[in-house]
Amino acid sequence: MKIYSYSDLSKQEIESICLRQLEDDITIQDRVKSIVDAVKTDGDKALFNFAKQFDQVELAQLFIDKKEIEEIAASIPSEAKAAIDTAYQNIKTFHAAQAKKEEKIETMPGVTCWRETRAIDRVGLYIPGGSAVLPSTFLMLGIPATLAGCKEIVVCSPPQKDGKTNCYLAYCALKLGIEKIYLVGGAQAVAAMAYGTESVPKVYKIFGPGNRYVTQAKQLIQSTTMTAIDMPAGPSEVLVLADETANPSYLASDLLAQAEHGADSQTILVSTSNEIITKTLEQVEIQLKELPRKDVTALAIANSYTVLVKDLEQGMEFSNTYAPEHLILSTEHFEKLIPLIANAGSVFLGNLTPESAGDYASGTNHTLPTSGFAKAYSGVSLDSFVKKITFQHISPKGLENIGSTVEVLAEAEGLRAHRNAVSIRLKNN
Amino acid sequence: MKIYSYSDLSKQEIESICLRQLEDDITIQDRVKSIVDAVKTDGDKALFNFAKQFDQVELAQLFIDKKEIEEIAASIPSEAKAAIDTAYQNIKTFHAAQAKKEEKIETMPGVTCWRETRAIDRVGLYIPGGSAVLPSTFLMLGIPATLAGCKEIVVCSPPQKDGKTNCYLAYCALKLGIEKIYLVGGAQAVAAMAYGTESVPKVYKIFGPGNRYVTQAKQLIQSTTMTAIDMPAGPSEVLVLADETANPSYLASDLLAQAEHGADSQTILVSTSNEIITKTLEQVEIQLKELPRKDVTALAIANSYTVLVKDLEQGMEFSNTYAPEHLILSTEHFEKLIPLIANAGSVFLGNLTPESAGDYASGTNHTLPTSGFAKAYSGVSLDSFVKKITFQHISPKGLENIGSTVEVLAEAEGLRAHRNAVSIRLKNN
């Protein structure tokens, strides 16, 4: 890992090390477009073909139903079942607290305004299932979707080798009350949910992480159809800010947890202490050796870097410029840093709060803005599954109070009919 | 206006009359791309050229500063000043109430999670100023941006014939404490805010309505840069649901107010009463004659339609399928309809609440999802100018409680390093 000293870096150099590459691989874009077009044109037929081509599975039908879900879920090991139950409860508790009824506001006497929340009727959840099957993602998307009251929750996940889904996903479906899992993966799943096919219902918003094909497909359907997406996505990343109160072996474990996601993951250590940096890099080497995914993890570590800063405040300055998906504050002095945080997806406070706790079970959502998108986007929450509709009611008194204001502004904008809509009511009032 | 009877329509026909055309004019896409590319490459120089080409103005500099804003604002008529003051106050009152501090949630003993709100540091507001200058849009975007605490608020609006801005916008800037207005319009304004130029700062999120070029440019930069946008946009629209308690001349005034926005505006009257429909259409003809924008208004009216329904509930069913930007419930029985509303941008309740009240001054935001996007998107609010960052803190006790859950789930997903990040802390705990 390269070591930078913050004070030696120019503004341009800082910007340059904060830069993440946006996907602009034309080959991938073209392949995704042809997959999406095929699904749009051929529907289910295209999905069966892609299952054969990409998942090496000859499917008899494109989904498993409630009965099969129950059968598969029954085989879950009891330890995993208990873990999913605990994670489910924590995630549900945290997201349920995000539902707020807003009060009515009388902006002027007789003019009453408020917002009400309505679920997005049809949502699509993409649950990756290629190199790793991710029950945690199913919980992170399925729990707020059910809490929000989305009427139709379409779940797509690539078929396993046996043409089914695995026991973890099946158990999550059972807990969430979701009665079908569509065995469709990749860009073709995104296309199916955006356009609808004979089997897969069309949805209004698509959620979920995925590989470069899934991400490209989401971008494409966002700009060409009426379908919304949760957020743009890039490779996962962590920035760990540590001072001398941190524990190097904990720091190393956090960096490696991020790095094992893939060679393009970014793991950044920012520290006030040269000694902490040195010891952490030693620990990284030691812990790395024992990992099953050590090859890919080593690649990600090699592409990452550390930054030496003069104090925690300077570290926060760098973190805000980088805008990390995950920010770990490995210091006993985390409290004073919270107000300084401007851009981050999710924040892990203190030495006993590893990112993996939030990935699975603390309760916060793990679907978060990557690539610097944390400057403008929030992670997924209950809000992501609802719309907030504004309401207004004007009484006779209110019309008197607000009438001339509307008339004058409409006239100033040259919109006479807008003015008339008030004038005609004022006349009869 | 064409009159449909809901009961006679097939599901396909209903879907078809609800369909809005997405922009897919290749000529516009190509022109927008070349404008955006020019700004990306040539910066200010391109902006000066486009001002000459599109706005017929030779600019000396690309913005007016605080001093000029104050001078121009001084010429605002006192009636308009008072109207802007009232609108400002109402909009501010309603949006300020949207700021909520969320409490900390202990999802399990020792595991504490919460969200905190942070402003998006740099936002860009596009204020149209071609055929009509829109001070109301400046208020609708500027008020939540300042309430949220956005540090840099970049405002672009096309130059007027004198190479300046008009007194309404200048006065809004003054009220909002905004010290510069960039004299840049159209797709070039969007490009300038997305890429930054010598004069115009780069922002993280761009807001505001505009013509087809502005809309296309926003879509383009959303899919090719790190810049977020408020929402996709299409022509404005209203759906008025009326029963026999409605007033035909009010209804006509509401339809015409929507129609005067442009020939592509959609105005839809849904009613339980044939008599109301007939009388309203008569009133439309009468009121239309007096309008300064009657030609364009007549075109929009000609492209619109009415739907006869058997009761208000059936009307709501149609409205939810259509998902209107503006929904006016012109009935004394609006209360019972509120729970039935699933998809709409903003709702106007009763016979004395015209849409134009919300366009200007009731307090709600007028930047709303069009074209059916109300199925997945909310209008602009304070939320649009902030991110919500999640936080979590785990105590020694919390680590004991959550540890094995994380370990088991990480192992189930094949992510050993994720497991280690917890195990290593549990060992020392």
Side-chain angles (χ1 to χ4, degrees), chain B residues 113-325:
Chain B
C113 302
W114 71 96
R115 293 198 296 179
E116 290 190 22
T117 290
R118 296 290 185 275
I120 299 175
D121 272 346
R122 301 157 163 272
V123 297
L125 316 184
Y126 182 73
I127 316 298
S131 66
V133 179
L134 301 179
S136 58
T137 297
F138 200 173
L139 297 179
M140 292 293 175
L141 301 177
I143 291 170
T146 48
L147 281 173
C150 300
K151 277 188 208 134
E152 176 130 44
I153 302 173
V154 178
V155 177
C156 284
S157 190
Q160 300 305 298
K161 293 282 160 272
D162 61 358
K164 306 282 175 191
T165 196
N166 82 2
C167 65
Y168 305 116
L169 293 195
Y171 182 67
C172 290
L174 211 59
K175 277 211 76 95
L176 292 162
I178 287 170
E179 303 189 346
K180 264 186 191 174
I181 296 177
Y182 293 90
L183 301 166
V184 186
Q188 60 271 28
V190 175
M193 294 190 280
Y195 289 104
T197 71
E198 298 87 334
S199 295
V200 183
K202 179 181 158 82
V203 303
Y204 303 144
K205 188 169 182 180
I206 296 175
F207 295 80
N211 60 21
R212 299 154 81 192
Y213 292 88
V214 171
T215 301
Q216 268 298 317
K218 282 170 67 186
Q219 288 275 27
L220 178 66
I221 64 101
Q222 181 187 35
S223 62
T224 53
T225 73
M226 298 286 299
T227 322
I229 65 170
D230 47 359
M231 70 187 86
S236 192
E237 64 204 19
V238 71
L239 188 149
V240 184
L241 175 57
D243 64 7
E244 71 293 340
T245 66
N247 179 322
S249 48
Y250 297 179
L251 295 175
S253 75
D254 290 333
L255 296 175
L256 289 167
Q258 189 58 56
E260 77 175 333
H261 277 299
D264 53 4
S265 284
Q266 277 211 317
T267 64
I268 296 168
L269 174 63
V270 180
S271 182
T272 55
S273 156
N274 237 326
E275 199 190 334
I276 288 282
I277 291 177
T278 312
K279 285 190 177 161
T280 303
L281 297 187
E282 284 166 18
Q283 277 295 318
V284 164
E285 290 310 314
I286 295 166
Q287 295 180 23
L288 177 61
K289 289 201 190 83
E290 306 300 320
L291 293 178
R293 295 163 72 108
K294 64 176 164 241
D295 293 348
V296 66
T297 310
L299 285 174
I301 290 290
N303 291 328
S304 298
Y305 59 88
T306 76
V307 182
L308 179 70
V309 288
K310 74 170 194 292
D311 52 31
L312 287 171
E313 287 72 14
Q314 194 178 57
M316 276 312 311
E317 187 183 307
F318 177 70
S319 176
N320 285 330
T321 307
Y322 183 81
E325 178 191 13

Side-chain angles (χ1 to χ4, degrees), chain A residues 107 118 226 341 346 364 371, chain B residues 118 226 341 362 371 390 392:
Chain A
T107 53
R118 295 290 186 278
M226 298 286 298
I341 297 169
S346 193
T364 62
S371 305
Chain B
R118 296 290 185 275
M226 298 286 299
I341 297 169
S362 65
S371 304
T390 50
Q392 51 244 287

Side-chain angles (χ1 to χ4, degrees), chain A residues 104-113 395, chain B residues 90 93 362:
Chain A
K104 296 185 178 181
I105 308 287
E106 203 169 12
T107 53
M108 69 197 307
V111 180
T112 310
C113 303
S395 71
Chain B
N90 288 356
T93 301
S362 65

Side-chain angles (χ1 to χ4, degrees), chain A residues 107 118 136 226 254 257 260 338 341-343 346-347 351 362 364 371 378 387-388 390 392 413 418 425, chain B residues 107 118 136 226 254 257 260 338 341-343 346-347 351 362 364 371 378 387-388 390 392 413 418 425:
Chain A
T107 53
R118 295 290 186 278
S136 58
M226 298 286 298
D254 290 334
E260 76 176 333
I338 294 175
I341 297 169
N343 304 313
S346 193
V347 185
N351 292 315
S362 64
T364 62
S371 305
S378 311
K387 301 101 52 180
K388 294 191 177 175
T390 49
Q392 50 244 288
E413 294 190 354
H418 280 63
R425 285 169 166 94
Chain B
T107 53
R118 296 290 185 275
S136 58
M226 298 286 299
D254 290 333
E260 77 175 333
I338 294 176
I341 297 169
N343 304 314
S346 193
V347 185
N351 292 315
S362 65
T364 62
S371 304
S378 310
K387 301 100 53 181
K388 295 191 178 175
T390 50
Q392 51 244 287
E413 294 190 356
H418 279 64
R425 285 169 165 94

